Amino acid sequence: MLTQPLADKVQTGEIRLYDRYMTTAEPATTASILEEKIASHRARVGIVGLGYVGLPLAVEFAKAGFSVTGIDLHAGKTERVNAGDSYVGDIPSAMLAEVVQAGKLRATTDFSAVRDLDTINICVPTPLRKTKDPDMSYIVSACEEIAKHIHAGMLIILESTTYPGTTDELLLPMFEKSGLRAGQDFFLCFSPERVDPGNPKYQTANIPKVVGGTTAACTKMGQLFYAQALGTVVPVSSTQVAEMVKLLENTFRMINIGLVNEMALMCDRMDINVWEVIEAAATKPFGFMPFYPGPGLGGHCIPIDPFYLSWKTKQAGIEARFIELAGYINGQMPHFVVDKIQNALNDAGKPVKGSHIHILGVAYKKDIEDLRESPALDIMLLLKRRGARLTYSDPYVPHLQLDGDELQAQPEALAGEADCAVIITDHSSFDYPRIAAQARLIVDTRNALKDVNSAHIVRL
Ligand code: SAJ
């Protein structure tokens, strides 16, 4: 049945009951009213957190015809959204401006907007603390604000990657403190974000969307919601399953990257070209998926998400040994690279101390601008501490902070003047034949120069 506030709104006409209630004995319920709003695209959508996940999601629902309100703590972001000025690579400003000018998307820093919203997606960061414990502060503060304004007839979906149990153990009690009941008065789900920034093929609209609810009615509501704007929706039986799906996906990657990094260490010791091994193994048409060694594990997902799982399993008395081991191996790669550089310079009769080392690519992976957890920063810090004179090139990163110093990106031609050039991030825009021809010594951590065999090129 309807809660009193909803019944009052029906009475005053603020909520219009649709024909199906006027012509049949079917009583309007909180669920059926919200379903109608969602199915008719009249539901007022709220997206909390306007980053690389939230902003594309907001735009997709605005493009589907919903009225969308983006909520973000940073006025700089809300102002840029309202000005149709995108700061997310996957969303061109023209696309953003179109939905903003159509009145379908507006942004605010004021959480009281939740009062007038029917659905809320929470897309805030979930970093790790230095102790590798989950930092839930962003989720908690967003939910505390939402809880202040929660009302009957809402659908609330957490999208931030987190440990299994977060939605039902942390969010549910925060929201039910209002006296509202999940699955009856409001609907609560978890849906893992699967945004892959810069991916030209898979964007928010065409990435299958997994969603699991606190109750079956919650799952059904979440599934209906996403079906209005996204191509494929995958309902699962609970929020825990949905939370675990994401962690399996990214733990799978992290561990396989750790495996191939360990293969690289083994091959290095046995003087075997690990890149050739992987390339040949990848000819197997089934039962194998290539991963590649690298200078370490960067980004805001892969190095972090698995530790949300291992933190939770520890509490359940289970040691996530694969995660811990892969984390150790991946964490060793920057040191391995620095040793490679040191040995290569040594073979050229030069100490690291005082040598000019030019870094090619500092973003955490190719062709993007994101520096978060980038192994390049670890490697540069280790080299700086050994007395190297560092410069870098990265077309996506104009400047960076290193140990209190501000470094500006330099032209890649500097690779030809340095004592050693190090390819850490293999951006497509680098002129590799020219680098191979002009640099005295190159340490290539990405096999970017795979077609060049020369004594002055040292590979992982
Ligand atoms: N890396 C390797 N070897 C590999 C693959 C990656 O060393 O074979 C390194 C990268 O250089 C980077 C880090 O691992 O430093 C992470 O790379 P990633 O390709 O996994 O890229 P991410 O961190 O952007 O991961 C995202 C994830 N997307 C989501 O969590 C929604 C991940 O699930 C995607 O599979 C991945 O993008 C992707 O496939 O691009």
Side-chain angles (χ1 to χ4, degrees):
M1 288 308 287
L2 290 182
T3 56
Q4 195 50 49
L6 271 179
D8 294 347
K9 287 183 177 176
V10 171
Q11 196 60 37
T12 60
E14 188 180 340
I15 291 180
R16 187 163 56 85
L17 288 184
Y18 288 80
D19 295 349
R20 88 186 206 191
Y21 305 122
M22 309 311 268
T23 53
T24 67
E26 183 185 341
T29 64
T30 306
S32 60
I33 287 181
L34 182 54
E35 281 167 9
E36 288 282 353
K37 285 184 174 179
I38 291 173
S40 63
H41 292 203
R42 286 182 54 255
R44 295 154 302 175
V45 172
I47 309 286
V48 174
L50 296 176
Y52 76 93
V53 175
L55 187 60
L57 191 64
V59 169
E60 283 310 324
F61 275 89
K63 280 160 64 175
F66 288 87
S67 162
V68 181
T69 301
I71 302 174
D72 198 292
L73 292 178
H74 300 291
K77 285 187 176 157
T78 55
E79 285 157 11
R80 288 187 67 173
V81 168
N82 291 331
D85 173 16
S86 178
Y87 47 83
V88 169
D90 292 341
I91 299 293
S93 289
M95 183 192 291
L96 178 59
E98 191 177 338
V99 291
V100 170
Q101 283 151 21
K104 286 297 178 189
L105 172 58
R106 74 176 190 93
T108 177
T109 56
D110 181 359
F111 267 91
S112 67
V114 169
R115 245 197 319 266
D116 302 320
L117 298 174
D118 301 304
T119 71
I120 299 277
N121 291 74
I122 304 164
C123 308
V124 296
T126 47
L128 277 182
R129 299 185 194 289
K130 287 283 174 234
T131 52
K132 285 207 183 302
D133 292 330
D135 175 357
M136 303 298 285
S137 60
Y138 294 87
I139 289 183
V140 169
S141 57
C143 292
E144 283 169 345
E145 289 301 322
I146 293 166
K148 288 178 192 164
H149 307 290
I150 191 171
H151 53 82
M154 284 188 83
L155 168 62
I156 302 172
I157 303 177
L158 175 62
E159 293 213 3
S160 308
T161 304
T162 183
Y163 60 83
T166 301
T167 308
D168 285 5
E169 295 165 16
L170 182 65
L171 274 65
L172 182 59
M174 288 176 80
F175 295 143
E176 289 199 327
K177 239 187 252 160
S178 62
L180 298 173
R181 285 284 154 270
Q184 184 185 312
D185 307 318
F186 74 100
F187 303 89
L188 182 59
C189 294
F190 181 84
S191 174
E193 61 88 1
R194 282 176 160 174
V195 175
D196 180 28
N199 189 316
K201 186 176 176 192
Y202 296 110
Q203 299 279 313
T204 297
N206 69 346
I207 297 171
K209 195 77 168 117
V210 170
V211 60
T214 297
T215 70
C218 297
T219 303
K220 185 174 167 233
M221 199 64 74
Q223 183 180 5
L224 176 70
F225 172 73
Y226 284 120
Q228 307 311 311
L230 306 182
T232 309
V233 185
V234 181
V236 293
S237 61
S238 68
T239 58
Q240 290 85 349
V241 168
E243 289 158 341
M244 204 59 166
V245 162
K246 170 72 177 193
L247 294 175
L248 173 58
E249 288 167 3
N250 283 1
T251 301
F252 163 78
R253 274 185 85 72
M254 181 256 206
I255 283 176
N256 280 286
I257 293 165
L259 168 65
V260 81
N261 278 332
E262 187 170 59
M263 289 296 279
L265 300 177
M266 294 172 189
C267 288
D268 182 69
R269 193 56 63 88
M270 299 185 286
D271 200 19
I272 297 172
N273 182 327
V274 68
W275 303 96
E276 189 183 1
V277 170
I278 295 165
E279 195 172 347
T283 59
K284 184 180 179 192
F286 51 84
F288 180 78
M289 178 180 182
F291 286 85
Y292 300 94
L297 206 53
H300 42 278
C301 303
I302 306 308
I304 288 166
D305 298 350
F307 290 99
Y308 268 75
L309 177 58
S310 61
W311 175 81
K312 181 69 175 177
T313 56
K314 239 174 245 158
Q315 292 186 350
I318 304 169
E319 200 63 35
R321 289 177 294 168
F322 273 112
I323 293 173
E324 300 299 331
L325 177 58
Y328 172 75
I329 292 169
N330 291 327
Q332 285 305 303
M333 295 313 283
H335 299 275
F336 177 66
V337 168
V338 168
D339 287 347
K340 274 269 176 196
I341 295 166
Q342 180 156 325
N343 295 338
L345 280 168
N346 189 54
D347 291 349
K350 296 177 182 173
V352 169
K353 191 177 173 76
S355 288
H356 174 195
I357 299 177
H358 187 66
I359 305 295
L360 289 159
V362 291
Y364 82 78
K365 73 175 181 180
K366 71 189 296 189
D367 302 343
I368 63 165
E369 78 288 346
D370 202 332
L371 262 183
R372 281 176 290 185
E373 306 289 323
S374 174
L377 299 175
D378 299 324
I379 291 167
M380 291 168 80
L381 195 54
L382 289 167
L383 290 169
K384 181 169 187 258
R385 288 191 175 151
R386 295 190 191 189
R389 189 162 50 80
L390 289 172
T391 55
Y392 85 92
S393 299
D394 190 309
Y396 299 90
V397 183
H399 51 82
L400 61 84
Q401 291 289 328
L402 186 74
D403 202 21
D405 293 340
E406 164 102 1
L407 273 69
Q408 302 294 328
Q410 302 298 321
E412 69 184 71
L414 213 52
E417 297 173 27
D419 297 304
C420 179
V422 186
I423 299 172
I424 292 184
T425 306
D426 49 336
H427 291 309
S428 308
S429 63
F430 284 142
D431 183 345
Y432 291 108
R434 187 169 161 215
I435 290 164
Q438 292 183 348
R440 295 187 188 87
L441 174 63
I442 302 169
V443 173
D444 178 3
T445 71
R446 298 288 190 172
N447 202 31
L449 301 176
K450 62 184 170 203
D451 303 327
V452 184
N453 273 319
S454 161
H456 78 299
I457 296 172
V458 175
R459 290 183 178 81
L460 272 197

